[in-house]
């Protein structure tokens, strides 16, 4: 006999349809895998970014590609990146050549941000001992300004995020670096007598880097000055948000088999406030993850943190942290208790048993059926090499029962979720602007997949596009939707997942509530705005200091 909870799953199962070819997206990441070489970068995959590069109201797609690992970076590289322009949610057209949207070297991660404040979002792409800053010129083309800007990262870069560290209204750049792996020091390991890729324990860490925006198109490396150049991090994922709701964002770094970092900005000496008195005063960041309870597992073990997703899974008003981990380990949910304190809640959340036989990379927090509980996508695939089984794995959709307890409903979710694959990057996007989140996954063994959300649900939604008065990303802005007696909390987050950039808009599931709602927006500036009688089942544009505006494709941004 079905329980009430099982019956609900059957009544409203997730349903995703793979539509990449139908939509005109054809792309396979070039791994440059050479049999018998076991050079670690070739097994780590590449990312994707969803952003509206031409400001027409439809999210476009940038895909990072690899290159020949043991050659000098070439311009242009033979395996180019790809920019797909969204044509009204009906199809995509590849315009990389026309747009000059291509990078050098073996790419991996990416971040989107308007570093020069011209209203057009730019791209930064990390990679194996290379990086590229692509300046969006606003005319449909990009220019490589890496050298001129001083943002070259010659280490192995992975996750990356734009943020403003000193409140000067200029976007700075935080680059997460992984390992010191070179053609000269690469190793081959054996597992049960079978050769494979050596893990992070065989290589030294490399420091992360923080580039300060000087406001004239140039950046300065201030990693040591601000305290983020910690020597024992082996970073892959990164997220920026306000975990303790104090008006300041923290930086969370998911490290592979070393303790994770939680960088908290410290008060500025002599300023009389925890905000800098002037833009030339640099804040200091301290790693508080050990005392906050989100550095290691509940039994004190380092874990193989790859992907990170942050959301209020238990509806207590604070964003929790979900991390994907290694095969035969568990994925981890750090529950946010408030006051910058976390506890490893993975066992109560039922994550241990359903992640033990998977190895997770990209992950997306989203509400697939609009029932008000945040669910999870996990892209899975092993890293030891194809000679080791299992290598390809089933992806997962993890249904949240509303109390941060999860079950794997992937087998019910469509054909894609019943196919073994080697998943890496994952991003969420409402590419067709229909009010539900679609999914995008990159792979090592097959083309990237666009998964349209075709879930049949009676539930309602509210879409919110946040825009600060200074046009910076709304990272850390908290949105509370009041639907009758229910209060649903969401927050804008920078970074997240693994190597990817998701749709920045908030999609709030309202369950069966169809009447107008009240929205309370708590901006990072300290301003609190309440908007009454807001119609549901549509997107709204919330600009700090102004009334809500309808948000629809083709509208000219104010």
């Amino acid at each position: 006999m079905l329980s009430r909870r099982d019956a609900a799953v059957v009544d409203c199962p997730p349903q995703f349809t793979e539509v990449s070819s139908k939509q005109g997206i054809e792309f396979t990441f070039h791994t440059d895998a050479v049999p018998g070489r076991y050079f670690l970068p070739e097994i780590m995959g590449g990312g994707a970014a969803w952003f509206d590069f031409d400001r027409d109201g439809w999210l476009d797609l940038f895909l990072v590609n690899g290159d020949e690992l043991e050659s000098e970076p070439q311009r242009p590289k033979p395996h180019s990146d790809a920019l797909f322009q969204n044509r009204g949610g009906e199809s995509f057209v590849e315009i990389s050549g026309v747009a000059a949207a291509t990078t050098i070297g073996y790419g991996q991660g990416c971040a989107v941000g308007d570093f020069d404040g011209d209203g057009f979002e730019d791209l930064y792409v990390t990679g194996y001992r290379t990086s590229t800053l692509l300046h969006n010129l606003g005319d449909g083309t990009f220019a490589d300004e890496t050298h001129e800007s001083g943002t070259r990262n010659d280490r192995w870069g992975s996750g990356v995020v734009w943020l403003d560290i000193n409140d000067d209204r200029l976007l700075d750049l935080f680059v997460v670096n992984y390992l010191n792996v070179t053609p000269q020091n690469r190793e081959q390991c054996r597992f049960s007598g079978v050769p494979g890729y050596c893990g992070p324990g065989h290589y030294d860490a490399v420091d992360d880097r923080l580039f300060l925006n000087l406001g004239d198109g140039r950046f300065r490396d201030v990693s040591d000055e601000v305290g983020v150049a910690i020597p024992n991090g082996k970073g892959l994922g990164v997220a920026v948000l306000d975990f303790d709701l104090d008006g300041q964002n923290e930086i969370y770094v998911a490290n592979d088999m070393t303790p994770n970092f939680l960088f908290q900005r410290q008060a500025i000496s002599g300023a009389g406030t925890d905000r800098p008195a002037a833009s030339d005063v640099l804040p200091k960041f301290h790693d508080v993850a050990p005392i906050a309870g989100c550095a290691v597992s509940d039994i004190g073990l380092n874990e193989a943190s790859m992907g990170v997703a942050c959301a209020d899974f238990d509806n207590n008003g604070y964003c929790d942290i979900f991390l994907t981990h290694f095969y035969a380990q568990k994925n981890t949910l750090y529950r946010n208790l408030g006051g910058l304190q976390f506890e490893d809640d993975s066992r109560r959340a039922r994550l241990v048993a359903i992640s033990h036989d998977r190895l997770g990379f990209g992950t997306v927090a989203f509400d697939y059926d609009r029932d008000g509980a945040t669910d999870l996508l996990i892209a899975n695939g092993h890293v030891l090499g194809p000679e080791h089984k299992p290598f390809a794995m089933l992806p997962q959709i993890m249904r949240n029962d509303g109390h941060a307890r999860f079950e794997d409903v992937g087998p019910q979710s469509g054909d894609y979720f019943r196919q073994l694959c080697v998943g890496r990057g994952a991003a969420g996007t409402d590419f067709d602007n229909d009010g539900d989140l679609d999914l995008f996954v990159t792979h090592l063994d097959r083309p990237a997949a666009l998964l349209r959300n075709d879930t049949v649900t009676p539930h309602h939604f509210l879409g919110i596009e946040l825009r600060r008065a200074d046009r910076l990303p709304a990272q850390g802005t908290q949105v509370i939707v009041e639907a009758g007696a229910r209060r649903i909390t969401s927050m804008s987050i920078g970074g997240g997942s693994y190597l990817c950039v998701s749709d920045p808009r908030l999609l709030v599931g309202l369950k069966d509530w169809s009447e107008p709602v009240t929205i309370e927006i708590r901006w990072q500036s300290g301003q609190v705005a309440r908007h009454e009688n807001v119609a549901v089942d549509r997107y709204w544009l919330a600009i700090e200091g102004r009334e809500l505006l309808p948000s629809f494709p083709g509208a000219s941004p104010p």
Side-chain angles (χ1 to χ4, degrees):
M1 183 174 181
L2 290 174
S3 69
R4 180 181 296 243
R5 186 165 60 91
D6 290 333
V9 175
V10 173
D11 290 343
C12 189
Q15 186 63 46
F16 290 86
T17 306
E18 208 288 297
V19 295
S20 54
S21 294
K22 180 180 179 180
Q23 288 285 329
I25 298 173
E26 300 280 354
F27 181 87
T28 302
F29 182 78
H30 177 73
T31 65
D32 195 37
V34 175
R37 185 172 65 175
Y38 300 105
F39 195 11
L40 190 57
E42 66 192 31
I43 202 70
M44 299 303 288
W50 288 94
F51 72 123
D52 186 7
F53 92 94
D54 53 5
R55 293 176 57 180
D56 67 349
W58 298 92
L59 289 179
D60 310 297
L61 172 64
F62 179 80
L63 286 164
V64 182
N65 211 345
D67 196 6
E68 276 70 43
L69 278 164
E70 298 193 73
S71 65
E72 291 298 319
Q74 301 175 50
R75 191 189 299 268
K77 62 186 182 184
H79 306 281
S80 63
D81 311 294
L83 177 64
F84 290 93
Q85 187 178 43
N86 190 339
R87 300 293 177 89
E90 297 295 327
S91 64
F92 290 80
V93 176
E94 206 273 323
I95 60 167
S96 313
V98 174
T102 187
T103 68
I104 63 170
Y106 194 94
Q108 299 224 261
C110 51
V112 171
D114 180 10
F115 77 86
D116 58 347
D118 66 352
F120 291 90
E121 290 184 305
D122 311 296
L123 274 168
Y124 187 86
V125 178
T126 63
Y128 173 68
R129 306 181 76 181
T130 186
S131 60
T132 306
L133 175 60
L134 288 177
H135 182 202
N136 187 342
L137 301 181
D139 61 358
T141 67
F142 292 80
D144 182 347
E145 297 187 2
T146 317
H147 177 72
E148 296 84 353
S149 65
T151 57
R152 172 76 70 205
N153 178 45
D154 58 0
R155 305 167 189 180
W156 182 0
S158 53
V160 57
V161 65
W162 293 93
L163 73 166
D164 180 10
I165 66 160
N166 58 339
D167 300 321
D168 64 353
R169 297 181 174 85
L170 296 171
L171 279 182
D172 311 302
L173 185 66
F174 184 81
V175 180
V176 174
N177 288 311
Y178 190 33
L179 303 171
N180 180 28
V181 178
T182 70
Q184 292 73 38
N185 73 0
R186 70 168 183 256
E187 298 183 49
Q188 179 192 109
C189 289
R190 301 188 77 84
F191 305 90
S192 301
V194 180
Y197 294 89
C198 295
H202 289 261
Y203 301 101
D204 293 333
V206 284
D207 300 349
D208 302 328
R209 303 186 75 179
L210 201 155
F211 295 96
L212 181 74
N213 191 337
L214 303 179
D216 59 0
R218 296 177 301 126
F219 291 74
R220 180 168 66 90
D221 186 345
V222 296
S223 313
D224 290 310
E225 293 176 58
V226 302
V228 300
I230 298 179
N232 65 332
K234 299 178 179 180
L236 290 173
V238 60
V240 172
L241 66 155
D242 186 0
F243 283 109
D244 54 356
L245 306 181
D246 67 347
Q248 288 191 63
N249 287 328
E250 287 79 39
I251 306 170
Y252 189 78
V253 180
N255 289 318
D256 190 357
M257 296 310 296
T258 59
N260 304 311
F261 298 149
L262 179 61
F263 290 115
Q264 181 185 38
R265 196 172 81 174
Q266 304 301 298
I268 303 299
S269 176
T273 176
D274 54 9
R275 294 183 180 274
S279 61
D280 59 351
V281 178
L282 289 181
K284 299 290 186 182
F285 288 85
H286 291 173
D287 175 24
V288 299
I291 60 174
C294 56
V296 296
S297 76
D298 55 346
I299 57 174
L301 296 178
N302 295 331
E303 295 180 300
S305 311
M306 271 80 81
V308 54
C310 298
D312 184 10
F313 294 107
D314 58 355
N315 295 312
N316 72 344
Y318 294 95
C319 276
D320 312 300
I321 305 170
F322 173 77
L323 297 173
T324 57
H325 291 311
F326 200 72
Y327 182 73
Q329 297 181 2
K330 65 176 178 65
N331 291 336
T332 295
L333 177 65
Y334 291 113
R335 183 177 176 229
N336 191 338
L337 306 177
L340 216 59
Q341 291 294 305
F342 298 82
E343 67 175 1
D344 184 341
D345 205 28
S346 311
R347 302 180 196 284
R348 188 201 65 86
R350 303 173 180 163
L351 289 168
V352 178
I354 50 181
S355 60
H356 191 264
D357 61 348
R358 311 291 169 90
L359 192 156
F361 274 88
T363 180
V364 177
F366 74 120
D367 183 359
Y368 71 79
D369 59 354
R370 307 172 180 166
D371 68 350
T374 303
D375 313 298
L376 285 162
L377 162 75
I378 306 172
N380 295 305
H382 220 308
V383 294
L384 297 184
E387 300 88 352
H388 296 266
K389 307 301 179 186
F391 183 53
M393 297 177 175
L394 292 175
Q396 293 172 293
I397 294 285
M398 310 292 280
R399 177 183 180 271
N400 184 348
D401 70 353
H403 304 283
R405 293 189 297 261
F406 295 88
E407 61 180 328
D408 184 359
V409 294
Q412 304 177 53
S413 302
D415 290 341
Y416 173 82
F417 290 90
R418 293 187 284 268
Q419 299 174 18
L420 297 171
C421 55
V422 186
R424 289 298 183 257
T429 175
D430 186 5
F431 78 92
D432 48 6
N433 287 328
D434 66 349
D436 55 32
L437 202 73
D438 312 295
L439 302 171
F440 190 82
V441 183
T442 68
H443 308 99
L444 293 186
D445 62 334
R446 65 186 63 195
L450 176 60
L451 306 170
R452 188 182 63 209
N453 190 341
D454 291 332
T455 303
V456 178
T457 175
H459 302 148
H460 300 273
F461 79 95
L462 188 73
I464 306 169
E465 179 184 354
L466 295 167
R467 188 177 301 168
R468 286 174 35 161
D470 54 17
R471 288 185 174 268
L472 265 63
Q475 301 157 347
T477 299
Q478 187 183 39
V479 175
I480 301 170
V481 177
E482 300 174 3
R486 296 179 66 221
R487 287 168 58 88
I488 307 161
T489 302
S490 301
M491 181 175 286
S492 180
I493 296 168
S497 193
Y498 172 74
L499 306 179
C500 290
V501 178
S502 291
D503 189 334
R505 298 172 294 181
L506 299 180
L507 270 173
V508 180
L510 301 174
K511 207 167 185 179
D512 56 359
W513 185 267
S514 61
E515 300 299 316
V517 298
T518 295
I519 304 176
E520 181 174 290
I521 304 177
R522 300 177 180 178
W523 298 95
Q524 283 267 287
S525 64
Q527 182 180 141
V528 178
R530 284 183 65 84
H531 304 279
E532 310 278 350
N533 201 36
V534 179
V536 304
D537 291 332
R538 65 176 303 168
Y539 278 102
W540 292 92
L541 173 61
I543 303 176
E544 186 176 10
R546 296 174 58 174
E547 292 299 315
L548 287 180
L549 296 171
S551 178
F552 56 90
S556 299

PDB file of all heavy atoms in Angstrom, residues 12 38 58 286 288 306 334 353 412 420 426 443 459 475 484 502 513:
ATOM      1  N   CYS A  12       2.225  13.458  -9.105  1.00  0.00           N
ATOM      2  CA  CYS A  12       2.891  14.581  -9.758  1.00  0.00           C
ATOM      3  C   CYS A  12       4.369  14.255  -9.974  1.00  0.00           C
ATOM      4  O   CYS A  12       5.251  14.879  -9.373  1.00  0.00           O
ATOM      5  CB  CYS A  12       2.732  15.842  -8.905  1.00  0.00           C
ATOM      6  SG  CYS A  12       3.283  17.346  -9.703  1.00  0.00           S
ATOM      7  N   TYR A  38      46.382   9.117 -18.352  1.00  0.00           N
ATOM      8  CA  TYR A  38      45.852   9.414 -17.019  1.00  0.00           C
ATOM      9  C   TYR A  38      46.290  10.788 -16.509  1.00  0.00           C
ATOM     10  O   TYR A  38      46.796  10.939 -15.405  1.00  0.00           O
ATOM     11  CB  TYR A  38      46.229   8.303 -16.019  1.00  0.00           C
ATOM     12  CG  TYR A  38      45.699   6.958 -16.429  1.00  0.00           C
ATOM     13  CD1 TYR A  38      46.556   5.991 -16.955  1.00  0.00           C
ATOM     14  CD2 TYR A  38      44.334   6.669 -16.361  1.00  0.00           C
ATOM     15  CE1 TYR A  38      46.060   4.757 -17.378  1.00  0.00           C
ATOM     16  CE2 TYR A  38      43.840   5.451 -16.780  1.00  0.00           C
ATOM     17  CZ  TYR A  38      44.693   4.503 -17.283  1.00  0.00           C
ATOM     18  OH  TYR A  38      44.201   3.305 -17.704  1.00  0.00           O
ATOM     19  N   TRP A  58      15.740  36.805 -23.312  1.00  0.00           N
ATOM     20  CA  TRP A  58      15.841  35.345 -23.430  1.00  0.00           C
ATOM     21  C   TRP A  58      17.267  34.929 -23.084  1.00  0.00           C
ATOM     22  O   TRP A  58      18.236  35.516 -23.586  1.00  0.00           O
ATOM     23  CB  TRP A  58      15.506  34.889 -24.850  1.00  0.00           C
ATOM     24  CG  TRP A  58      14.101  35.225 -25.244  1.00  0.00           C
ATOM     25  CD1 TRP A  58      13.689  36.350 -25.889  1.00  0.00           C
ATOM     26  CD2 TRP A  58      12.938  34.448 -24.990  1.00  0.00           C
ATOM     27  NE1 TRP A  58      12.329  36.317 -26.069  1.00  0.00           N
ATOM     28  CE2 TRP A  58      11.838  35.170 -25.536  1.00  0.00           C
ATOM     29  CE3 TRP A  58      12.700  33.222 -24.374  1.00  0.00           C
ATOM     30  CZ2 TRP A  58      10.520  34.692 -25.466  1.00  0.00           C
ATOM     31  CZ3 TRP A  58      11.402  32.749 -24.323  1.00  0.00           C
ATOM     32  CH2 TRP A  58      10.330  33.473 -24.858  1.00  0.00           C
ATOM     33  N   HIS A 286      38.412  35.977   6.896  1.00  0.00           N
ATOM     34  CA  HIS A 286      38.901  34.877   7.725  1.00  0.00           C
ATOM     35  C   HIS A 286      38.095  33.622   7.399  1.00  0.00           C
ATOM     36  O   HIS A 286      36.876  33.685   7.213  1.00  0.00           O
ATOM     37  CB  HIS A 286      38.771  35.202   9.213  1.00  0.00           C
ATOM     38  CG  HIS A 286      39.701  36.272   9.672  1.00  0.00           C
ATOM     39  ND1 HIS A 286      39.651  36.809  10.941  1.00  0.00           N
ATOM     40  CD2 HIS A 286      40.716  36.915   9.040  1.00  0.00           C
ATOM     41  CE1 HIS A 286      40.581  37.733  11.065  1.00  0.00           C
ATOM     42  NE2 HIS A 286      41.238  37.817   9.929  1.00  0.00           N
ATOM     43  N   VAL A 288      36.161  30.775   8.576  1.00  0.00           N
ATOM     44  CA  VAL A 288      35.477  30.396   9.813  1.00  0.00           C
ATOM     45  C   VAL A 288      34.768  29.049   9.676  1.00  0.00           C
ATOM     46  O   VAL A 288      33.996  28.668  10.561  1.00  0.00           O
ATOM     47  CB  VAL A 288      34.462  31.484  10.236  1.00  0.00           C
ATOM     48  CG1 VAL A 288      35.180  32.805  10.507  1.00  0.00           C
ATOM     49  CG2 VAL A 288      33.376  31.683   9.165  1.00  0.00           C
ATOM     50  N   MET A 306      32.755  18.473  -4.650  1.00  0.00           N
ATOM     51  CA  MET A 306      32.825  18.889  -6.046  1.00  0.00           C
ATOM     52  C   MET A 306      31.812  19.999  -6.327  1.00  0.00           C
ATOM     53  O   MET A 306      32.165  21.138  -6.560  1.00  0.00           O
ATOM     54  CB  MET A 306      32.575  17.705  -6.992  1.00  0.00           C
ATOM     55  CG  MET A 306      33.827  16.949  -7.374  1.00  0.00           C
ATOM     56  SD  MET A 306      34.385  15.778  -6.112  1.00  0.00           S
ATOM     57  CE  MET A 306      33.320  14.386  -6.421  1.00  0.00           C
ATOM     58  N   TYR A 334      24.699  20.416   4.959  1.00  0.00           N
ATOM     59  CA  TYR A 334      24.952  21.206   6.164  1.00  0.00           C
ATOM     60  C   TYR A 334      23.733  22.075   6.420  1.00  0.00           C
ATOM     61  O   TYR A 334      23.445  23.007   5.665  1.00  0.00           O
ATOM     62  CB  TYR A 334      26.183  22.100   5.989  1.00  0.00           C
ATOM     63  CG  TYR A 334      27.502  21.374   5.912  1.00  0.00           C
ATOM     64  CD1 TYR A 334      28.239  21.375   4.736  1.00  0.00           C
ATOM     65  CD2 TYR A 334      28.023  20.709   7.027  1.00  0.00           C
ATOM     66  CE1 TYR A 334      29.471  20.726   4.661  1.00  0.00           C
ATOM     67  CE2 TYR A 334      29.242  20.058   6.954  1.00  0.00           C
ATOM     68  CZ  TYR A 334      29.960  20.071   5.776  1.00  0.00           C
ATOM     69  OH  TYR A 334      31.172  19.424   5.704  1.00  0.00           O
ATOM     70  N   ALA A 353      22.223   6.865   2.186  1.00  0.00           N
ATOM     71  CA  ALA A 353      21.969   5.621   1.454  1.00  0.00           C
ATOM     72  C   ALA A 353      21.809   5.855  -0.043  1.00  0.00           C
ATOM     73  O   ALA A 353      22.226   5.026  -0.860  1.00  0.00           O
ATOM     74  CB  ALA A 353      20.717   4.931   2.011  1.00  0.00           C
ATOM     75  N   GLN A 412      11.585   8.073 -12.247  1.00  0.00           N
ATOM     76  CA  GLN A 412      10.272   8.550 -12.703  1.00  0.00           C
ATOM     77  C   GLN A 412      10.375   9.784 -13.598  1.00  0.00           C
ATOM     78  O   GLN A 412       9.358  10.271 -14.083  1.00  0.00           O
ATOM     79  CB  GLN A 412       9.402   8.932 -11.499  1.00  0.00           C
ATOM     80  CG  GLN A 412       9.208   7.843 -10.464  1.00  0.00           C
ATOM     81  CD  GLN A 412       8.389   8.363  -9.298  1.00  0.00           C
ATOM     82  OE1 GLN A 412       7.295   8.909  -9.466  1.00  0.00           O
ATOM     83  NE2 GLN A 412       8.915   8.212  -8.099  1.00  0.00           N
ATOM     84  N   LEU A 420      22.717   5.594 -18.248  1.00  0.00           N
ATOM     85  CA  LEU A 420      24.012   5.786 -17.621  1.00  0.00           C
ATOM     86  C   LEU A 420      24.821   6.798 -18.422  1.00  0.00           C
ATOM     87  O   LEU A 420      24.869   6.740 -19.656  1.00  0.00           O
ATOM     88  CB  LEU A 420      24.766   4.462 -17.557  1.00  0.00           C
ATOM     89  CG  LEU A 420      24.127   3.361 -16.719  1.00  0.00           C
ATOM     90  CD1 LEU A 420      24.880   2.039 -16.928  1.00  0.00           C
ATOM     91  CD2 LEU A 420      24.134   3.733 -15.238  1.00  0.00           C
ATOM     92  N   ALA A 426      26.391  21.130 -14.261  1.00  0.00           N
ATOM     93  CA  ALA A 426      24.931  21.176 -14.255  1.00  0.00           C
ATOM     94  C   ALA A 426      24.484  22.601 -13.968  1.00  0.00           C
ATOM     95  O   ALA A 426      25.055  23.287 -13.124  1.00  0.00           O
ATOM     96  CB  ALA A 426      24.360  20.219 -13.214  1.00  0.00           C
ATOM     97  N   HIS A 443      28.709  16.512 -20.155  1.00  0.00           N
ATOM     98  CA  HIS A 443      29.194  15.138 -19.964  1.00  0.00           C
ATOM     99  C   HIS A 443      30.603  14.985 -20.508  1.00  0.00           C
ATOM    100  O   HIS A 443      31.084  15.824 -21.268  1.00  0.00           O
ATOM    101  CB  HIS A 443      28.287  14.138 -20.700  1.00  0.00           C
ATOM    102  CG  HIS A 443      26.837  14.276 -20.399  1.00  0.00           C
ATOM    103  ND1 HIS A 443      25.968  14.957 -21.228  1.00  0.00           N
ATOM    104  CD2 HIS A 443      26.100  13.819 -19.361  1.00  0.00           C
ATOM    105  CE1 HIS A 443      24.742  14.905 -20.718  1.00  0.00           C
ATOM    106  NE2 HIS A 443      24.798  14.227 -19.580  1.00  0.00           N
ATOM    107  N   HIS A 459       0.318  23.285  -9.498  1.00  0.00           N
ATOM    108  CA  HIS A 459       0.831  24.310  -8.592  1.00  0.00           C
ATOM    109  C   HIS A 459       1.215  25.587  -9.324  1.00  0.00           C
ATOM    110  O   HIS A 459       1.510  25.580 -10.526  1.00  0.00           O
ATOM    111  CB  HIS A 459       2.030  23.760  -7.817  1.00  0.00           C
ATOM    112  CG  HIS A 459       1.725  22.531  -7.038  1.00  0.00           C
ATOM    113  ND1 HIS A 459       2.638  21.529  -6.804  1.00  0.00           N
ATOM    114  CD2 HIS A 459       0.571  22.124  -6.437  1.00  0.00           C
ATOM    115  CE1 HIS A 459       2.082  20.573  -6.089  1.00  0.00           C
ATOM    116  NE2 HIS A 459       0.829  20.905  -5.860  1.00  0.00           N
ATOM    117  N   GLN A 475      23.394  39.167  -5.243  1.00  0.00           N
ATOM    118  CA  GLN A 475      23.832  38.113  -4.327  1.00  0.00           C
ATOM    119  C   GLN A 475      23.552  38.502  -2.874  1.00  0.00           C
ATOM    120  O   GLN A 475      23.895  39.605  -2.442  1.00  0.00           O
ATOM    121  CB  GLN A 475      25.334  37.894  -4.486  1.00  0.00           C
ATOM    122  CG  GLN A 475      25.775  37.506  -5.878  1.00  0.00           C
ATOM    123  CD  GLN A 475      27.228  37.838  -6.124  1.00  0.00           C
ATOM    124  OE1 GLN A 475      27.854  38.558  -5.365  1.00  0.00           O
ATOM    125  NE2 GLN A 475      27.786  37.324  -7.208  1.00  0.00           N
ATOM    126  N   GLY A 484      -0.869  33.715   1.879  1.00  0.00           N
ATOM    127  CA  GLY A 484      -1.729  33.333   2.986  1.00  0.00           C
ATOM    128  C   GLY A 484      -0.909  33.212   4.259  1.00  0.00           C
ATOM    129  O   GLY A 484      -0.150  34.113   4.617  1.00  0.00           O
ATOM    130  N   SER A 502      23.958  29.316 -13.505  1.00  0.00           N
ATOM    131  CA  SER A 502      22.532  29.078 -13.707  1.00  0.00           C
ATOM    132  C   SER A 502      21.776  30.382 -13.907  1.00  0.00           C
ATOM    133  O   SER A 502      22.294  31.478 -13.679  1.00  0.00           O
ATOM    134  CB  SER A 502      21.950  28.324 -12.499  1.00  0.00           C
ATOM    135  OG  SER A 502      22.424  27.005 -12.427  1.00  0.00           O
ATOM    136  N   TRP A 513      -1.612  27.883  -4.025  1.00  0.00           N
ATOM    137  CA  TRP A 513      -2.014  29.279  -3.812  1.00  0.00           C
ATOM    138  C   TRP A 513      -2.048  30.010  -5.150  1.00  0.00           C
ATOM    139  O   TRP A 513      -1.047  30.116  -5.833  1.00  0.00           O
ATOM    140  CB  TRP A 513      -1.045  29.965  -2.862  1.00  0.00           C
ATOM    141  CG  TRP A 513      -1.475  31.361  -2.518  1.00  0.00           C
ATOM    142  CD1 TRP A 513      -1.113  32.513  -3.139  1.00  0.00           C
ATOM    143  CD2 TRP A 513      -2.373  31.729  -1.472  1.00  0.00           C
ATOM    144  NE1 TRP A 513      -1.735  33.594  -2.554  1.00  0.00           N
ATOM    145  CE2 TRP A 513      -2.513  33.142  -1.522  1.00  0.00           C
ATOM    146  CE3 TRP A 513      -3.079  31.019  -0.501  1.00  0.00           C
ATOM    147  CZ2 TRP A 513      -3.325  33.845  -0.629  1.00  0.00           C
ATOM    148  CZ3 TRP A 513      -3.886  31.726   0.390  1.00  0.00           C
ATOM    149  CH2 TRP A 513      -4.006  33.116   0.319  1.00  0.00           C
TER     150      TRP A 513
END
